Amino acid sequence: MEKQSRRAFVKLSAGAVIGAAVPSSAAGLLAPNVAEITVYPDQVLGDISPNIYGQFIEHLGRAIYGGIYDDAQRRFRPDVLEKVQQLHPPLLRYPGGTVTKIYHWKDGVGPARPVRKNLIWGGNDNNHVGTDEFMRYAELVGAAPFLTVNMSTGTAEEAADWVDYCNGTGTSYASQRQANGHAAPYGVKYWGLGNEEAAREDVGTLQNVQDYVKKAWYYAKLMKLQDPSIQLIMAGDQAAWNEEVLRELHPICDYISLHLYASSKPGEPASLFASIATMEASIQKLAAQIKALTPAKVENFSKWYRFPSRQQPVKIALDEWGIWEAGGQGAYGLEQRYTWNHALGVATFLNIFQRNAAVIGLATWAQTVNVLAPIMTNETTSICQTIYYPMALYRRLCGPRSVAVAPTGVATLDVSASTDGKTLTLALVNRDPAAAIRLKLNPKITGHWTAHELTAPSLDAMNTLTAPDTNVVSYQQRTLPAGTTAYTLAARSIVLVQAPI
Ligand code: AHR
């Protein structure tokens, strides 16, 4: 990494560039890096779906029992609920994940709950948390529910019955739902047709994409006959699989799923960002396939289907994204301890989602509690890991439209920009462990800038259950005086700066 002093520029609109001499760092050891950023507030890249800030929970390890749910007391854990609520997830995916392939929703409704072996992740599942409990949780955290149906050990009829149970009126399943305490239909809009169906090692039966296509049509027909308004998320995989899915299922494919798990090489924190960068390439590759293979909407759909064809462009569902390092604890090493470097990774991911907003319809972080999670628990307490904080900050501050931004000069800087038409929000991530980045602010912005700054003492700083009252993440909100022209982005920081436009 180059660490000598240069001149810094931030160009926030065409023709508004200013430079400033960059001072050496106080210690004289590391001079700040410099960057030039050009923002084009009028160049809209796409609407940012509010659903990119979703979460995922699965019947896996301590995600549900011991995570969101206290089975001994038969209630949701209040400490965890409060933390999930403060994440404000707009969308919650359930029940899997791979467990979808052995999950039978009827085991999880009504008074008699059979205990089943969790054939995928181990242990027994007493089904104390099922559909109605999940719906209640989604309601408590303010999220729309997103359900995945079993295409392996389940049947299309079982999936359609689930749609009826959740969304029907006047049917026996609707009466059953009423008897279970919920008279009004849940109106579940998002339905995933399977999960990672191309995966060979688990109990899925559909590794051949032609088999998936055939079965997905059948599922879609039966489910949409129950409720024509539901939206379907088709399972994606590699390019050849995706091509076939898009060609054959596009009249009924609202979303194609893409799962992204980043990781780093031991002792090389920066390798995490290289891993995440490949994921932006994956998103763009799938976006190109969608563009090439699917019309924006489907006309001339036979009325004999008895439900409408797709009327909106196909979007990508990043219905599992996250960071999955080797060497975790718990079931299959999925209990991960996230450092501040991982938090910088989360912010980088969210910038990628903003830059590619035009094609990303939804995203659900895998997962929520204990499993690959921003929230960890033990029997008596819970903590927010480092990654929780950028998630919460982006959700709170980013605007609904992504606008063009072009940074040059510093590889450790990652940027996205968004607006609601009144406020410009620049999301800045400095992944450098030690060197600040010197920026200049646009003089055309006459109002105050507000900087929301997150940082931690080192890249490997972590929050732990052994010191639950210590938070290594510091947050500072600073108002920069009107006319401010320079801003220093601290080393290893995530900063959302906002200004009226
Ligand atoms: O999130 C953990 C697992 O990762 C999910 O069950 C599966 O879909 C993915 O491989």
Side-chain angles (χ1 to χ4, degrees), residues 336-416:
Q336 303 255 312
R337 301 178 69 197
Y338 290 120
T339 65
W340 182 244
N341 195 58
H342 295 120
L344 299 172
V346 165
T348 306
F349 257 124
L350 291 171
N351 283 351
I352 289 173
F353 296 175
Q354 292 201 20
R355 291 196 290 267
N356 296 279
V359 74
I360 300 177
L362 63 87
T364 50
W365 168 274
Q367 296 192 10
T368 303
V369 187
N370 290 330
V371 171
L372 302 163
I375 300 163
M376 296 298 292
T377 70
N378 61 21
E379 282 188 1
T380 53
T381 193
S382 56
I383 57 153
C384 296
Q385 299 220 66
T386 54
I387 59 170
Y388 181 98
Y389 296 94
M391 287 180 189
L393 193 68
Y394 274 68
R395 289 168 193 200
R396 183 160 69 86
L397 296 177
C398 290
R401 275 192 305 286
S402 173
V403 295
V405 57
T408 56
V410 180
T412 54
L413 173 67
D414 193 83
V415 186
S416 67

Side-chain angles (χ1 to χ4, degrees), residues 56 58 60 93 97-99 121 195-196 259 261 320 324 334 366-367 371-372:
F56 166 37
E58 178 169 8
L60 192 180
R93 179 175 184 251
T98 307
V99 92
W121 299 114
N195 174 78
E196 296 185 358
H259 289 182
Y261 287 103
E320 290 186 28
W324 187 337
L334 286 159
Q367 296 192 10
V371 171
L372 302 163

Side-chain angles (χ1 to χ4, degrees), residues 231-263:
Q231 296 204 343
L232 300 179
I233 295 94
M234 302 298 178
D237 193 55
Q238 302 301 319
W241 173 288
N242 293 343
E243 180 171 337
E244 192 73 5
V245 165
L246 291 168
R247 272 191 208 288
E248 298 298 327
L249 292 169
H250 78 82
I252 48 164
C253 171
D254 299 295
Y255 301 85
I256 181 164
S257 156
L258 178 62
H259 289 182
L260 303 175
Y261 287 103
S263 60

Side-chain angles (χ1 to χ4, degrees), residues 127-143:
N127 283 298
H128 287 170
V129 172
T131 302
D132 296 299
E133 292 75 21
F134 167 71
M135 293 298 173
R136 176 72 183 133
Y137 204 73
E139 184 185 15
L140 286 170
V141 303

